[in-house]
Amino acid sequence: MEPLTPTLTVSTPPFAHCGKTVNKRMRAILLAMLPAAALAVYHFGMDAVRVMSLATATAVIAEFVSDMVMGRTSQVDDLHGFTVGLGFAFLLPASAPWWLVVFGSTTSIVLGKMMFGGLGGSPLCAPLVGWAVCSLSWANHMDIDAAMLTSELTYPLSQLKHFGPQAVAGFSLNDLLVGRQLGGLGAVQTGALFIGGIFLSMRKHIKVAVPVGMLAGVLVTAGIFHASNPQANAPAMFHLLTGSVIFGAFFLATDSSSSPMRKIPALLYGLLAGVLVVIIRVYGVYPDGVPYAILLANLTSPLLDRIKPKPFGRN
């Protein structure tokens, strides 16, 4: 028999290594979050240190124990668990009680990551899973307004929700940029987070199309609402710089396992998340719609990933 002459040979992976590792990516993300963490400590003092320390330590321990229960070699040294814990802490009010921090951080790791097989398997952004469970279970303890008892700052999104745009006219863009507002203790440090996000984009650690789409979605949708009725809706820049929009666009929506892979699907995914943020803020009961908007956008990722370029050689 004449031997076969293959025209195309595909070997088993891995094919090549770009030099990036999970540990390096997580270190870059933590470095990008560091300025916001420092500003959170500046604005909220030891309460911010307590929440961030407890959340990160709990997340690392929860991942280590989960690996032991599952009979797997622990991978806590890749720093992903630490990053999830800090991301969850950024969404909490500085007044969050210790048991809420521990429960939410454990839930983020166990339900948001390990239940789906670990790193890369989760269809949802892990810190948002813990945040959603805590928000639905203990709304009073997750209430940002409760933090006003220990701070001179106010929650602009809550004032907008209950008293209209006239109540937030006194907030300057500079105040919002440097984090002089209540909200998630790290998520409202918008200026510092934007610098960190640009750093991650330039180092190609995140898909740029996601934050571009989400920020555009917020600006365009909020601009349409404001133009249609300025007496009832805040300007687009107010929506962009309040709450956790910048944090969500650069650090949560870009989660690699729960966002689309390609450029066009990633842009549509970010755009959808941005539009949902404003719709939830305008019509929903939650002042800040970012966490639920990203969770809903996560659910569309498998569908958006079906948008693929036409295979070469086919009509």
Side-chain angles (χ1 to χ4, degrees):
M1 179 181 294
E2 184 178 354
L4 297 174
T5 304
T7 57
L8 177 64
T9 302
V10 180
S11 63
T12 56
F15 304 103
H17 198 290
C18 64
K20 293 182 180 179
T21 64
V22 175
N23 184 280
K24 287 182 179 178
R25 183 169 185 264
M26 293 303 122
R27 278 188 289 168
I29 293 175
L30 290 173
L31 182 62
M33 297 170 75
L34 185 60
L39 275 178
V41 174
Y42 174 77
H43 287 299
F44 301 107
M46 291 307 296
D47 281 338
V49 176
R50 173 183 62 84
V51 171
M52 289 189 288
S53 302
L54 192 56
T56 51
T58 302
V60 171
I61 293 172
E63 180 171 335
F64 182 76
V65 173
S66 298
D67 282 327
M68 289 181 61
V69 172
M70 298 168 70
R72 300 170 40 168
T73 303
S74 178
Q75 297 179 334
V76 294
D77 57 345
D78 65 11
L79 297 179
H80 184 260
F82 190 94
T83 308
V84 171
L86 187 59
F88 173 70
F90 269 31
L91 296 166
L92 293 177
S95 58
W98 69 267
W99 55 266
L100 182 72
V101 180
V102 171
F103 182 86
S105 190
T106 303
T107 304
S108 296
I109 291 295
V110 176
L111 291 183
K113 177 181 177 182
M114 304 308 291
M115 285 285 289
F116 297 98
L119 180 64
S122 175
L124 302 171
C125 180
L128 295 180
V129 175
W131 180 91
V133 172
C134 290
S135 293
L136 294 173
S137 303
W138 298 285
N140 291 337
H141 293 289
M142 293 289 285
D143 186 4
I144 301 296
D145 284 330
M148 292 178 64
L149 298 174
T150 57
S151 174
E152 297 179 350
L153 301 174
T154 55
Y155 187 25
L157 287 175
S158 178
Q159 294 188 7
L160 174 66
K161 173 65 69 178
H162 298 295
F163 305 110
Q166 295 77 15
V168 297
F171 284 95
S172 70
L173 296 182
N174 184 58
D175 286 343
L176 298 179
L177 276 172
V178 299
R180 291 199 189 96
Q181 57 174 316
L182 283 184
L185 60 89
V188 294
Q189 317 304 331
T190 53
L193 290 168
F194 185 76
I195 294 173
I198 295 298
F199 165 74
L200 292 178
S201 302
M202 293 178 65
R203 297 294 299 269
K204 298 182 179 180
H205 286 296
I206 60 175
K207 295 181 279 280
V208 181
V210 174
V212 169
M214 183 166 171
L215 298 182
V218 170
L219 283 173
V220 172
T221 310
I224 293 173
F225 274 105
H226 181 66
S228 63
N229 189 354
Q231 303 302 319
N233 298 292
M237 285 302 294
F238 177 85
H239 280 286
L240 188 72
L241 298 180
T242 51
S244 44
V245 170
I246 302 295
F247 180 55
F250 286 100
F251 294 89
L252 298 177
T254 53
D255 176 52
S256 55
S257 69
S258 58
S259 59
M261 295 298 295
R262 296 178 181 82
K263 186 178 297 183
I264 298 300
L267 187 64
L268 295 174
Y269 161 85
L271 194 62
L272 174 64
V275 171
L276 288 174
V277 167
V278 180
I279 290 176
I280 293 174
R281 284 184 176 185
V282 173
Y283 296 112
V285 297
Y286 293 97
D288 189 5
V290 173
Y292 283 122
I294 295 177
L295 283 173
L296 290 172
N298 286 161
L299 300 177
T300 67
S301 288
L303 180 62
L304 293 172
D305 264 332
R306 295 174 67 87
I307 303 175
K308 299 177 181 178
K310 184 183 298 182
F312 177 76
R314 295 184 61 182
N315 293 327

